[in-house]
């Protein structure tokens, strides 16, 4: 961990714009394929300090630049063509631990890295890269009993279609014929979709591991697409909560209660969301306090005490963010809620920003706090 | 349908190598976005004759060529840069109905089309395009009760890891607490993986629709990755069936029987596979006649009567291919099996080749024949 912090300091001192490649002494030569590479692909690679190295074949191209998303090294990493006609380059500094979106700009066009798997973010399927983290065991695929993630297609009269959701059922769910479970409705962020929490977030593995360690009671997680304005895809400007609230509360929820062994009722339901999904969580939980008892905003804003009309209906408010976001705002909001008599908990993910490592850790902290009433 | 055949004839007469673009009169101006585009993306587009039109932004590129997979117009479709710096082009002829893989070569490098969704084929995630078919209703997302597709992670001691499979459970499965179902084990082709049958093949929608129309009894489908030699990823040369047979028969099957409401036993199990998955199906069904009662090879070879040691153990052999493959071989193999006393059925998909439209139709024909004993 110290090594990582040290590397961050070096990065800040040396700044962006210089090629890390040319300052070889400080970059460790222990690069390994990113674990999110397509099967059999060697590049992109990452080293133990969090540097990423890219390799793109495009022998006739004029320019190849890798752009990393939030939490990566800001700006582009231009690649250089070697004698074999292959473009190579290394980030100018180490990246945050965890998952990052990126893409490659080739001669002015935006493409994905053929070496990497794709993840839905920024309203498109983007390349993904994983920087090994000091605490990565909590979301690793381990030899423990595994729950299942299943795709359901539920009828949505309000939007005139069948809509997709993913449902995590914990280990043991399919063996038992009678045990019933509480439910967490878990929302993605802007530009993402219902695949994000399991693909990028590894919500299923986080739950499998927590349950195997006895740290949380098993519960069901339901993830669906949080935008209903598909014709203006990805637009936030005209976003209204009512259409999604109808889909979630009046269409998806009854379907889930009918087709899965849930414990129905407000006391056994939680809603959480990251970023835009936090905004949705706040709006829906406040508009329908009869539906959820547990609220969680992950890098997604805060509640003020005066916004909670009937505090006796709220069993938990969980607020979190990365240490590079607004940790003081999250902590002070939780303090104010507690002073007003609400059971509020804050969590700050160290050395992360508005990115999935923050939200993986947030889910790890949130799960054990749910359904305690 | 007549229109489509007409277009095919024109394509054969005019040949490949001429730009359809420059023969505008024969190409209908009714292009629509492919239904496999990423949300909100207009291109690629397809017209009612089966032509595909591509649009790639790469203003500084020297050359952009679209390569379509088997069953498309063979060879590349070079795009031309217009005055806005955007590369555009149309296939030189109509494509087969159904699903096609493709990729884009930009200045010598192979990338995916940022407009299209990706599908795992050729041992990489490739762009996909869907040509509307005259019979597309059978695999469309319709307003009928839907089964679920769930990801399971099952322990595999023989390969030292947790392996992934997808399990289709039919509509009604999750509501019932007691009804048990037979199981079809369904394998993908070379370079594909366990996502192919639902993503490219739409196996779940085909089943939902058949069940809604009363054409088939509901059953469970299990799909897992058919290669175990991950270190030589995608290699067929060193392929041995034993490692995969162990995973399928000794590890996955007991897990499925334990975690799902199956009817265990040989009489209630089928195995089918497309292409390389057909080869696997043949090898495993012949090696383990005690395990499966129904065998199906989809563009995946044939059985000879003398290969079936105990014909009383085989309830059905189903052989299929596209009319552009080897239909006579498939038909005569089924004839020979029938003469030898085996219940054999052949199916030929009209006007398709070694491609998913053949296999979608094959599943539609196969499902009603299964589990009749």
């Amino acid at each position: 961990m110290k090594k990582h912090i040290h590397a961050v300091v070096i990065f800040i001192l040396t700044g962006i714009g210089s090629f890390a490649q040319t300052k070889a002494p400080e970059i460790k030569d222990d690069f390994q394929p990113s674990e999110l590479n397509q099967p059999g692909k060697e590049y992109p690679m990452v080293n133990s300090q969090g540097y990423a190295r890219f390799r793109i074949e495009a022998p006739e191209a004029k320019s190849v630049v890798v752009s990393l998303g939030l939490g990566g090294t800001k700006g582009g990493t231009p690649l250089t063509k070697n004698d074999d006609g292959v473009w190579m380059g290394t980030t100018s500094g180490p990246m945050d631990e965890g998952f990052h979106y990126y893409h490659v700009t080739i001669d002015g066009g935006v493409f994905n890295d053929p070496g990497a798997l794709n993840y839905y973010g920024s309203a498109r399927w983007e390349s993904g890269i994983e920087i090994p983290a000091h605490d990565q065991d909590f979301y690793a695929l381990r030899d423990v009993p595994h729950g299942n993630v299943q795709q359901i297609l539920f009828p949505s009269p309000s939007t005139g279609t069948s809509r997709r959701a993913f449902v995590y059922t914990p280990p043991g769910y399919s063996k038992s014929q009678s045990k019933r479970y509480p439910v967490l409705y878990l929302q993605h962020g802007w530009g993402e979709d219902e695949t994000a929490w399991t693909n990028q977030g590894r919500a299923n593995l986080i739950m499998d591991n927590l349950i195997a360690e006895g740290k949380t009671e098993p519960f069901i997680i339901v993830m669906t697409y949080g935008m209903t304005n598909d014709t203006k895809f990805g637009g936030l400007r005209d976003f209204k909560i009512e259409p999604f609230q109808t889909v979630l509360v009046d269409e998806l929820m009854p379907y889930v209660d009918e087709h899965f062994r849930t414990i129905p009722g407000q006391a056994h339901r939680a809603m959480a969301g990251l970023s835009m999904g936090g905004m949705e969580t706040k709006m829906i939980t406040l508009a329908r306090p009869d539906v959820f008892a547990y609220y969680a905003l992950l890098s997604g804003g805060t509640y003020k005490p005066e916004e909670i009309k009937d505090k006796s209906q709220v069993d938990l408010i969980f607020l979190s963010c990365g240490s590079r976001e607004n940790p003081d705002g999250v902590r002070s909001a939780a303090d104010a809620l507690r002073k007003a008599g609400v059971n509020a908990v804050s969590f700050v993910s160290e050395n992360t920003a508005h990115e999935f490592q923050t939200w993986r850790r947030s889910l790890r902290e949130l799960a054990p706090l749910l359904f305690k009433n």
Side-chain angles (χ1 to χ4, degrees), chain A:
Chain A
M1 186 56 193
K2 266 197 178 154
K3 247 175 238 159
H4 179 75
I5 290 169
H6 180 64
V8 170
V9 171
I10 289 173
F11 170 42
I12 290 165
L13 293 176
T14 57
I16 305 171
S18 61
F19 275 112
Q21 269 181 317
T22 60
K23 307 197 176 186
E26 55 190 43
I27 302 181
K28 286 199 182 176
D29 193 21
D30 57 359
F31 284 87
Q32 298 285 334
S34 159
E35 62 173 291
L36 305 187
N37 285 1
Q38 294 195 26
K41 300 290 184 186
E42 199 180 9
Y43 283 87
M45 299 185 101
V46 294
N47 81 351
S48 61
Q49 299 161 300
Y51 286 81
R53 183 165 287 171
F54 301 92
R55 179 186 189 280
I56 299 287
E57 289 185 37
E60 303 300 319
K62 288 195 202 81
S63 96
V64 179
V65 179
V66 171
S67 298
L68 289 148
L70 286 164
T73 51
K74 304 298 186 297
T77 296
L79 307 191
T80 310
K81 190 159 77 167
N82 67 19
D83 295 343
D84 299 328
V86 172
W87 296 80
M88 302 271 306
T90 305
T91 53
S92 57
M95 301 171 70
D96 284 357
E97 296 184 334
F99 174 87
H100 303 276
Y101 299 104
Y102 73 101
H103 57 254
V104 186
T105 303
I106 297 155
D107 287 350
V110 173
F111 301 93
N112 286 331
D113 184 340
L117 293 173
N118 299 325
Y119 296 83
Y120 199 69
S122 310
R124 64 182 295 271
W125 287 88
E126 289 250 301
S127 297
I129 190 168
E130 183 77 29
I131 306 298
H134 73 285
D135 58 351
Q136 62 191 1
D137 261 12
F138 82 86
Y139 52 84
L141 176 61
R142 281 152 52 186
D143 186 18
V144 299
H146 292 292
N148 298 344
V149 176
Q150 61 191 294
Q151 171 187 292
I152 62 171
L153 297 167
F154 63 98
S156 168
S158 74
T159 58
T161 183
S162 289
R163 297 180 73 87
R164 184 170 72 165
F166 290 99
V167 179
Y168 168 80
T169 54
Y173 180 92
S174 56
K175 271 194 195 176
S176 165
Q177 299 301 323
S178 56
K179 185 170 159 62
R180 304 186 77 90
Y181 300 84
V183 185
L184 165 64
Y185 288 83
L186 184 60
Q187 290 305 128
H188 59 82
W190 180 89
E192 297 169 345
D193 70 7
E194 65 273 24
T195 62
W197 264 110
T198 49
N199 283 0
Q200 290 94 304
R202 307 202 187 181
N204 52 323
L205 299 181
I206 292 170
M207 288 299 297
D208 290 347
N209 293 333
L210 286 173
I211 292 166
E213 293 168 5
K215 288 183 178 165
T216 187
E217 290 299 311
F219 54 85
I220 291 169
I221 302 180
V222 178
M223 297 153 279
T224 197
Y225 183 53
M227 307 284 281
T228 48
N229 52 343
D230 283 337
T231 50
K232 299 186 178 179
F233 188 80
L236 258 187
R237 204 166 50 123
D238 302 323
F239 186 80
K240 291 187 179 66
I241 196 64
E242 290 76 13
F244 176 58
Q245 184 175 311
T246 298
V247 168
L248 185 78
V249 175
D250 300 330
E251 296 174 341
L252 174 57
M253 205 168 284
Y255 186 92
V256 168
D257 283 336
E258 188 182 349
H259 290 81
F260 292 86
R261 296 197 312 276
T262 65
I263 312 175
Q266 188 254 12
H268 312 286
R269 265 193 227 111
M271 183 169 181
L274 72 89
S275 195
M276 181 196 79
M279 180 192 82
E280 294 178 331
T281 298
K282 181 174 175 178
M283 291 168 110
I284 292 176
T285 52
L286 291 179
R288 294 295 301 272
D290 56 312
V291 177
F292 301 97
Y294 299 81
Y295 314 171
L297 313 183
L298 286 46
S299 306
T302 58
Y303 293 87
K304 290 176 191 154
E306 60 271 27
E307 292 174 320
I308 316 293
K309 292 202 180 90
D310 181 355
K311 294 178 180 60
S312 72
Q313 285 194 304
V314 184
D315 284 311
L316 173 73
I317 290 182
F318 178 93
L319 305 173
S320 75
C321 69
S323 64
R324 300 200 183 120
E325 296 189 273
N326 180 21
D328 292 342
V330 156
R331 288 191 190 106
S332 62
D335 286 345
L337 286 164
R338 274 194 300 273
K339 276 179 198 146
V342 178
N343 177 30
V345 173
S346 65
F347 167 70
V348 173
S349 164
E350 288 306 316
N351 299 317
T352 61
H354 198 75
E355 57 193 337
F356 250 105
Q357 193 72 354
T358 301
W359 307 319
R360 290 170 176 169
R361 289 173 179 164
S362 296
L363 178 60
R364 178 194 64 196
E365 299 299 314
L366 170 65
L369 305 176
L370 292 177
F371 311 120
K372 291 293 186 188
N373 58 357

